[in-house]
């Protein structure tokens, strides 16, 4: 490999498009002939140029940089896990090629300024010590906390998000991934918040509050009934066709639920992104992972969670995979995912995480039974005994049905 190359980290390696000037077309690095006539020996020719021909004279350039930026940016080939990838040529010390949107840049600048104003040092575009990840904003918090703020406005796959989070976690970074799309594949896959999709001009005005709409959880427990603590049964499947439908099982649950879906949410005095970042840097908000789902809890709620459920088990260490970062459309980080690797989106709904469920405790001998001695099941709506099944075959009261389905 040439000595004057700034080699990309594993996280920065993508399946970028690469244009070969002598052939006048893009190369397909997945094919033995690279997708060009008589190209079987072309790969060996390009590899033999290493150390002999300057990178900018080899004929490999980035087609996106030429089209979008009007710049001829040379590329070179690198192999990872048996896969050939094309990487942008940079001299030592140069920053990676980036085409971040103005909204992406505005979010980074806003969070960095807000953090500095509250006494926490912040750096934009900071490399992790191991060199495997580049943080959009690094925030040095209290008691050794290192926070990484990562706005993610483009579509990505869940696998890709997990891989990128893995680089940060192994470097000791507490990541805050900021999504604007409520159906983004990264929601719940990594420690996240969700904020509105605002223009850059609004984001840059510090006095404009940016609301945190999701990612902040609270701990709730209580009876699953119409008069109980919980607003709906967390184990009842969410029906996107009927989002206002409610149902209760009559049991008892302990759940982690997004603050905006909790029984105590009023919609007033909501959490802002600035307050969230400052409190996370101060250790007043703690990231959690439960059953593969990530989120954040206030410190007091976190203590209650530990007392009730014990410490969470860490994920098994996953080896970084270059293929998880594959992109085919553009050469930038803030870009749409490959059509080949895009995972189907799930409809958003309740994100409640059930920690514990107990059936409703009844006194022996007081269990309601019918004339044949069979136990009378609880109404799907109110949790009280109901003998007759409804249209869906579930036990219910006629009055409850009219009240919930007028």
């Amino acid at each position: 490999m040439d000595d004057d190359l700034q080699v990309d980290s594993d996280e920065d390696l993508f399946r970028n498009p690469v244009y070969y000037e002598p052939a006048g077309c893009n190369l397909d690095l997945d094919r033995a002939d690279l997708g060009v006539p008589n190209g079987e020996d072309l790969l060996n020719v390009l590899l033999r140029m290493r150390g002999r021909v300057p990178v900018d004279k080899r004929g490999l350039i980035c087609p996106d940089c030429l089209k979008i930026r009007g710049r001829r940016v040379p590329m070179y080939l690198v192999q990872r896990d048996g896969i050939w990838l094309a990487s942008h040529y940079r001299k030592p010390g140069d920053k990676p090629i980036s085409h971040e949107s103005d909204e992406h840049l505005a979010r980074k600048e806003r969070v960095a300024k807000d953090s500095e104003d509250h006494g926490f040092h912040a750096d934009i575009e900071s490399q992790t010590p191991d060199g495997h990840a580049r943080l959009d904003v690094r925030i040095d918090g209290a008691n050794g906390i290192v926070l990484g703020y990562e706005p993610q406005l483009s579509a990505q796959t869940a696998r890709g998000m997990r891989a990128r989070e893995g680089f940060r976690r192994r470097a000791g970074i507490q990541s805050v991934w900021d999504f604007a799309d409520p159906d983004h594949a990264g929601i719940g896959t990594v420690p996240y918040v969700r904020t509105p999709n605002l223009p850059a001009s609004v984001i840059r005005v510090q006095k404009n509050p940016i609301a945190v709409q999701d990612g902040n959880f609270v701990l709730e427990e209580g009876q699953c009934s119409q008069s109980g603590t919980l607003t709906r049964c967390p184990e009842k499947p969410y029906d996107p066709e009927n989002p206002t439908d409610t149902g209760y099982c009559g049991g008892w649950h302990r759940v982690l639920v997004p603050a905006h879906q909790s029984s105590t949410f009023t919609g007033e005095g909501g959490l802002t992104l600035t307050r969230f970042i400052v409190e996370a840097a101060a250790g007043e908000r703690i990231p959690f992972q439960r059953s593969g789902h990530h989120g954040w809890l206030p410190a007091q709620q976190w203590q209650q969670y530990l007392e009730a459920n014990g410490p969470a088990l860490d994920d098994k260490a996953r080896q970084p995979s270059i293929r998880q970062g594959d992109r085919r459309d553009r050469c930038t980080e803030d870009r749409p995912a490959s059509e080949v690797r895009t995972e189907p989106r799930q409809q958003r709904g309740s994100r409640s995480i059930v920690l514990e469920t107990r059936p409703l405790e009844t006194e022996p001998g007081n269990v309601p039974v019918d004339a044949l001695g069979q136990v009378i099941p609880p109404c799907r709506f109110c949790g009280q005994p109901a003998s007759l099944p409804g249209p869906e075959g579930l036990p219910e009261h006629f009055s409850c049905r009219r009240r919930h389905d007028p």
Side-chain angles (χ1 to χ4, degrees):
M1 187 63 69
D2 303 78
D3 294 334
D4 63 342
L5 285 179
Q6 175 67 52
V7 180
D8 284 335
S9 66
D10 287 347
E11 188 190 42
D12 291 323
L13 285 174
F14 293 97
R15 195 180 289 271
N16 295 312
V18 55
Y19 183 83
Y20 186 51
E21 292 177 307
C25 64
N26 286 6
L27 299 182
D28 185 348
L29 299 181
D30 288 332
R31 295 175 53 175
D33 62 358
L34 303 183
V36 298
N38 304 317
E40 287 78 5
D41 297 326
L42 179 56
L43 180 60
N44 290 330
V45 172
L46 293 172
L47 296 180
R48 284 198 298 268
M49 294 183 182
R50 292 177 173 179
R52 302 177 181 180
V53 179
V55 177
D56 60 351
K57 303 295 185 183
R58 299 177 189 174
L60 299 178
I61 66 170
C62 175
D64 288 345
C65 290
L66 184 64
K67 179 180 179 181
I68 298 173
R69 307 169 65 207
R71 290 183 53 190
R72 181 185 181 276
V73 178
M75 304 187 81
Y76 63 95
L77 301 181
V78 60
Q79 190 179 44
R80 289 290 188 276
D81 299 333
I83 302 169
W84 285 106
L85 305 165
S87 188
H88 298 83
Y89 169 68
R90 296 183 289 132
K91 293 183 178 180
D94 288 350
K95 290 185 177 182
I97 299 296
S98 177
H99 300 268
E100 295 173 339
S101 65
D102 197 28
E103 289 76 15
H104 186 104
L105 292 171
R107 287 173 184 265
K108 295 196 301 183
E109 295 167 1
R110 170 69 180 271
V111 166
K113 288 179 182 178
D114 287 345
S115 301
E116 292 279 359
D117 289 347
H118 287 81
F120 296 110
H121 178 70
D123 287 319
I124 295 178
E125 294 295 331
S126 175
Q127 198 85 358
T128 56
D130 58 12
H132 290 304
R134 188 179 70 256
L135 308 181
D136 280 337
V137 182
R138 174 194 168 108
I139 303 165
D140 297 327
N143 302 318
I145 294 176
V146 180
L147 211 63
Y149 173 69
E150 308 289 340
Q152 186 62 61
L153 304 182
S154 64
Q156 305 288 340
T157 64
R159 289 194 306 165
M161 294 301 304
R162 282 192 291 266
R164 296 173 64 188
E165 169 61 16
F167 287 117
R168 288 156 175 78
R169 184 177 63 251
R170 287 186 286 272
I173 307 298
Q174 286 190 9
S175 301
V176 180
W177 295 89
D178 184 2
F179 303 108
D181 181 1
D183 293 321
H184 197 287
I187 288 182
T189 304
V190 293
Y192 75 101
V193 293
R194 180 168 61 83
T195 57
N197 189 9
L198 300 172
S201 59
V202 173
I203 296 172
R204 287 194 169 96
V205 179
Q206 285 185 278
K207 67 180 181 180
N208 288 336
I210 302 175
V212 171
Q213 300 174 319
D214 196 0
N216 176 48
F217 285 68
V218 295
L219 183 68
E220 286 195 337
E221 56 184 280
Q223 186 177 351
C224 186
S225 67
Q226 192 172 19
S227 59
T229 304
L230 305 181
T231 57
R232 61 175 288 119
C233 179
E235 294 185 331
K236 180 182 178 183
Y238 177 78
D239 182 6
E241 301 297 329
N242 190 12
T244 60
D245 180 36
T246 57
Y248 304 97
C249 67
W252 179 94
H253 304 288
R254 179 185 292 121
V255 298
L256 294 174
V257 59
H260 69 281
Q261 294 179 351
S262 67
S263 59
T264 58
F265 181 71
T266 63
E268 298 180 358
L271 182 65
T272 65
L273 180 61
T274 297
R275 177 184 163 194
F276 180 92
I277 293 294
V278 171
E279 292 182 354
E284 298 174 8
R285 293 190 180 272
I286 314 296
F288 74 85
Q289 177 184 353
R290 180 78 181 194
S291 302
H293 191 106
H294 294 257
W296 291 81
L297 281 168
Q300 183 178 2
Q301 296 271 318
W302 171 251
Q303 290 301 322
Q304 296 177 17
Y305 169 81
L306 290 181
E307 292 170 3
N309 299 277
L313 299 177
D314 294 333
D315 276 352
K316 294 182 179 180
R318 290 186 293 265
Q319 295 298 323
S321 173
I322 301 302
R323 296 188 70 88
Q324 292 174 349
D326 286 354
R327 304 288 185 268
R328 293 182 183 274
D329 293 338
R330 293 175 59 191
C331 67
T332 64
E333 176 180 329
D334 196 15
R335 59 191 151 191
S338 165
E339 294 181 359
V340 177
R341 298 186 178 276
T342 298
E343 299 172 1
R345 289 185 175 185
Q346 296 181 350
Q347 291 290 335
R348 62 189 173 98
S350 173
R351 304 190 194 280
S352 297
I353 303 169
V354 180
L355 302 177
E356 183 181 356
T357 294
R358 296 199 302 263
L360 181 64
E361 297 179 359
T362 57
E363 295 293 334
N366 292 334
V367 178
V369 295
D370 58 19
L372 299 178
Q374 301 294 325
V375 175
I376 301 176
C379 171
R380 60 179 295 209
F381 297 109
C382 69
Q384 299 301 315
S387 301
L388 299 178
E392 294 85 1
L394 300 175
E396 62 181 41
H397 294 114
F398 179 71
S399 58
C400 292
R401 159 67 70 171
R402 291 187 60 183
R403 186 162 50 249
H404 290 84
D405 189 17

